[in-house]
Amino acid sequence: MLRSLVGSEMCIRDRSMTLLPLLPLLATALADMPAPEYTLDLDLPPSQRWQHIMRSQMSLHGGYNHTFGPLVEFAQHIIPAETWRKYDLELQAAALPFVGDEVTEELSGIQILARELGYEVQLSLLQWFQIFYELMMQCTGVLVRASADGAILHGRNMDIGLPLENITTTVHWTRAGETVMTSTQFLGYVGLHTGMRRSNSNLSAGAGWSAQVNERIVLAAGPVIGYQKGILLATVAGLLDGGRIVGRYLRDAMLSAPSFKDALGVLASNKLASPMYVIVGGAKGEGAVLTRGRDGLATVAQDTSVVGRAMLQDRQPSTQDAERMLGSGDWYMTQTNWDSWLNTTHASCASVIAGLAPWELKACDEYHKIVYEASCADLCQLYSDGRREKAIELLEAGGRSNATLSLIHI
């Protein structure tokens, strides 16, 4: 169900696998309503896979102007409509290497449908929409072992500034007539950010897993241009170096890896354009959080500044930090957008900076002005904003004996 100001809830019992519920996303909604469910047939030609879903969604919500129109307008606020039109072919060519042929064919089918309905949407705009997750996601993920049978309950929310309330759906992906995976989709985005690999007749009982990806911001130097643009340039460099956009990364992993163990190997090793957190639940009661760098498991913390690391005394990740596993005695795991092994929070960081001597603060500010076009206090944005601590507080207050969907849907 969609709840006001939260979002779609999906709890699926697969007859051939352990209960693996998934609250795939909490997206802003104007009123309570069930998230529409659709079936996508992977055996169809790519250009035909999404058209019936798009038509149905527009019919449900009053047409293009109340579904995909606001999303296109959002993209045109970032890059003007005239630029999309003028440089459409050039932008297509630039996007193709990391979006890929199959995804581009799927998007061309969406573009054809829009034009049939009388709306101009550039294929390049749809292609570049596939990288929005790298740029603007704040999320929380929770894995909980159910008190009744030990099955994994996987919940998440998404804090996002896009108009998604009328394009949020549940999609069941089929191949040869069987459901391979189920995902929460923002229609027009054909990659995955949240999904569940399903068991089927070709797999043993207990196969299947769920996953979500959360943005992980790693500080990058940005003399003159600022650290935010420095981070963006690092993402561009990651793309040029063969890093994958997260939507294709998770979609391909979910289609190819049948089990939790198989999934961890793929998700830990594939190159990414941007650092990420990957929260994974397994059908046999497994759970893990992978802290990813671009080339594999993370080897550095988010705060890469010399001053910040020395002043706050937070350590770099071990392999165990970067690949946290849900232990046999554990009953939950949480992950937001901040490195979980760090004890420093935004509040404690601010307290440290407030206690600096005037000359120390001046030196810290000067260093960050030169290297990052930022202040010393900006460091604190790289430490927990309190969501992780609040999630833990609520889980502990609810208690292991009450580990049900209602506990994590708050």
Side-chain angles (χ1 to χ4, degrees), residues 337-358:
N337 301 95
W338 318 111
D339 291 342
S340 60
W341 62 87
L342 302 182
N343 295 318
T344 303
T345 65
H346 186 283
S348 63
C349 172
S351 178
V352 169
I353 291 175
L356 293 177

Side-chain angles (χ1 to χ4, degrees), residues 84-94 124 127:
W84 289 113
R85 285 191 291 269
K86 184 176 180 180
Y87 297 105
D88 184 34
L89 293 178
E90 292 85 351
L91 290 169
Q92 286 183 43
S124 59
Q127 287 176 307

Side-chain angles (χ1 to χ4, degrees), residues 1-3 6-10 23 25-26 32-35 409:
M1 296 291 293
L2 285 176
R3 293 177 54 194
V6 282
S8 68
E9 171 180 337
M10 177 172 61
L23 298 175
L25 84 99
L26 305 181
D32 287 358
M33 61 177 294
H409 195 191

Side-chain angles (χ1 to χ4, degrees), residues 167-237:
I167 58 171
T168 301
T169 64
T170 296
V171 175
H172 305 288
W173 304 60
T174 66
R175 181 185 287 146
E178 292 197 311
T179 300
V180 181
M181 64 184 183
T182 297
S183 64
T184 293
Q185 295 293 140
F186 304 140
L187 295 184
Y189 183 79
V190 301
L192 258 66
H193 51 71
T194 309
M196 181 170 72
R197 172 63 189 245
R198 305 295 297 271
S199 174
N200 59 48
S201 61
N202 297 319
L203 300 173
S204 60
W209 50 282
S210 64
Q212 69 177 85
V213 283
N214 290 4
E215 179 186 36
R216 179 175 183 254
I217 298 172
V218 176
L219 186 63
V224 182
I225 63 172
Y227 70 94
Q228 291 176 323
K229 291 182 179 177
I231 293 169
L232 178 59
L233 287 177
T235 296
V236 172

Side-chain angles (χ1 to χ4, degrees), residues 23-26 133 137-143 154-159 212-215 279 333-338 385-392 395 408:
L23 298 175
L25 84 99
L26 305 181
Y133 204 92
M137 282 298 185
Q138 298 288 307
C139 312
T140 300
V142 178
L143 297 175
H154 188 164
R156 80 164 303 168
N157 77 346
M158 298 180 97
D159 304 315
Q212 69 177 85
V213 283
N214 290 4
E215 179 186 36
I279 299 89
M333 302 179 79
T334 64
Q335 181 62 53
T336 55
N337 301 95
W338 318 111
D385 56 5
R387 283 178 289 136
R388 178 182 67 195
E389 292 75 19
K390 189 63 177 180
I392 292 173
L395 289 169
I408 59 176

Side-chain angles (χ1 to χ4, degrees), residues 140 142 144 331-332 334 386-400 402-404 406-410:
T140 300
V142 178
V144 172
W331 68 278
Y332 68 81
T334 64
R387 283 178 289 136
R388 178 182 67 195
E389 292 75 19
K390 189 63 177 180
I392 292 173
E393 175 189 332
L394 292 171
L395 289 169
E396 290 288 352
R400 187 168 191 170
N402 296 310
T404 62
S406 61
L407 177 62
I408 59 176
H409 195 191
I410 47 180

